Amino acid sequence: MMDNPSTTTTDDPSTYTVVARRYRPRSFAELIGQDHISHALGTAIASGRVGHAYLFTGARGVGKTSSARIFAKALNAGEGLEPAIAADMAQAIDAGGDMDVIEIDGASNRGIEEIRQLRANVNVRPSRARYKIYIIDEVHMLTNQAFNALLKTLEEPPPHVKFIFCTTDPDKLPITVLSRCQRFDFVPIKLDAIQTRLREICTAEGFQADDDALALLARRAAGSMRDSQSLLEQVMSFSQGHISVEQVQQLLGIADEGRLLALAETLADGHALRAIQLVDEAASSGADA
């Protein structure tokens, strides 16, 4: 499903929002490559079997934090609210600024004092939503003392509190924390799904792109949607409305397939000098050896 950002370009650089943020998924239907996650969380909400703590794990850029926000919206800004209030709440959650959905960076709020402050606030009921939801990103960065301080609250939280933990390294979490969470593992996104999304973004941004160029970006992203979009934006920044394979190769510092094929044939034929010359030409043009 294609987003429809209100602004794609701006004359004021200070108000520009990067592609990866503007085309961030805002609903389970827009979440790409994680159908099992969307189905499981949607079913939990529909059946009323929503746990009090969730753990989202996976590589960078596969949708963990976006899914946490989408899940928070489904819980707090779903049916039963006035449309205006629900829309305002959903917009605030998307922007990371809702008063009842608190996002915490585990890397910079990793100490016991921050967790003690969290424990002191969990008993305060949400101001306008059903739940007070804590999203802790990179939760594995918390100290052991912080985890210990969190355990009791995590085991028996107030009924109006939900926790969503996101991490790229679940092995660093204590088993006592893991056992108290419902775990969802996010998989790397398939190349064709990334390429399709990049094509949609190019169309929305008014760019034309060669299929081979988008395929190369998708491969380089190694399953990360965010990385692919960041690379795409870099190519867009020096493209004039058209993205070619040559531009992507120049950006990534990689050799074109023709050069690689010529090198392979030269090695197969045993022409050592010519092989060295080809490598030298590639290095001189900025290719990554």
Side-chain angles (χ1 to χ4, degrees):
M1 185 177 294
M2 192 66 218
D3 301 326
N4 185 22
S6 57
T7 303
T8 57
T9 58
T10 177
D11 294 331
D12 183 2
S14 65
T15 63
Y16 179 73
T17 303
V18 298
V19 164
R21 288 180 59 191
R22 273 190 284 125
Y23 293 94
R24 191 170 197 158
R26 291 179 170 83
S27 68
F28 285 128
E30 295 178 8
L31 186 63
I32 298 174
Q34 310 296 346
D35 294 343
H36 62 297
I37 304 290
S38 301
H39 177 73
L41 295 179
T43 301
I45 294 173
S47 64
R49 296 181 178 275
V50 179
H52 64 271
Y54 289 82
L55 176 63
F56 293 169
T57 74
R60 69 183 187 277
V62 295
K64 299 185 300 298
T65 306
S66 294
S67 295
R69 289 181 177 180
I70 294 169
F71 192 35
K73 282 193 298 183
L75 291 173
N76 277 354
E79 297 179 0
L81 290 176
E82 295 182 13
I85 295 177
D88 179 65
M89 194 180 301
Q91 185 175 7
I93 294 173
D94 282 332
D98 186 74
M99 62 185 71
D100 294 322
V101 179
I102 301 96
E103 295 192 26
I104 301 171
D105 176 21
S108 56
N109 297 277
R110 60 195 302 267
I112 190 171
E113 291 303 322
E114 288 83 0
I115 299 303
R116 283 175 175 168
Q117 184 65 37
L118 183 154
R119 290 177 56 189
N121 292 334
V122 293
N123 290 319
V124 179
R125 296 193 61 83
S127 60
R128 60 174 180 172
R130 298 182 182 92
Y131 302 106
K132 178 175 285 188
I133 300 173
Y134 290 91
I135 300 174
I136 304 183
D137 200 11
E138 297 303 335
V139 68
H140 67 271
M141 297 294 289
L142 296 184
T143 63
N144 288 332
Q145 293 82 359
F147 276 124
N148 290 334
L150 183 62
L151 278 179
K152 185 62 177 178
T153 301
L154 188 59
E155 185 173 14
E156 297 179 358
H160 60 268
V161 172
K162 305 292 181 185
F163 290 99
I164 306 175
F165 301 140
C166 304
T167 180
T168 55
D169 197 349
D171 292 337
K172 290 185 178 179
L173 270 66
I175 188 63
T176 49
V177 172
L178 291 171
S179 65
R180 289 166 169 81
C181 300
Q182 294 187 30
R183 175 170 171 170
F184 291 88
D185 293 304
F186 286 65
V187 298
I189 302 174
K190 295 180 179 179
L191 293 181
D192 57 348
I194 294 178
Q195 186 174 348
T196 298
R197 184 57 168 166
L198 295 182
R199 171 68 65 192
E200 292 174 345
I201 293 174
C202 286
T203 300
E205 295 288 313
F207 279 79
Q208 292 184 344
D210 296 341
D211 289 337
D212 290 343
L214 296 183
L216 185 54
L217 288 174
R219 288 197 301 272
R220 190 56 176 259
S224 171
M225 181 65 76
R226 185 176 64 234
D227 285 4
S228 73
Q229 293 175 358
S230 296
L231 290 171
L232 176 63
E233 185 161 42
Q234 286 182 261
V235 181
M236 286 178 172
S237 67
F238 65 82
S239 299
Q240 300 298 321
H242 181 264
I243 298 173
S244 65
V245 175
E246 291 75 17
Q247 290 171 331
V248 175
Q249 291 169 342
Q250 182 180 354
L251 168 69
L252 301 180
I254 60 178
D256 63 74
E257 293 182 356
R259 179 176 283 160
L260 291 174
L261 180 60
L263 178 60
E265 291 176 343
T266 302
L267 291 173
D269 293 338
H271 296 159
L273 178 59
R274 179 55 183 158
I276 294 174
Q277 290 174 336
L278 287 173
V279 172
D280 181 63
E281 292 171 4
S284 299
S285 65
D288 185 343

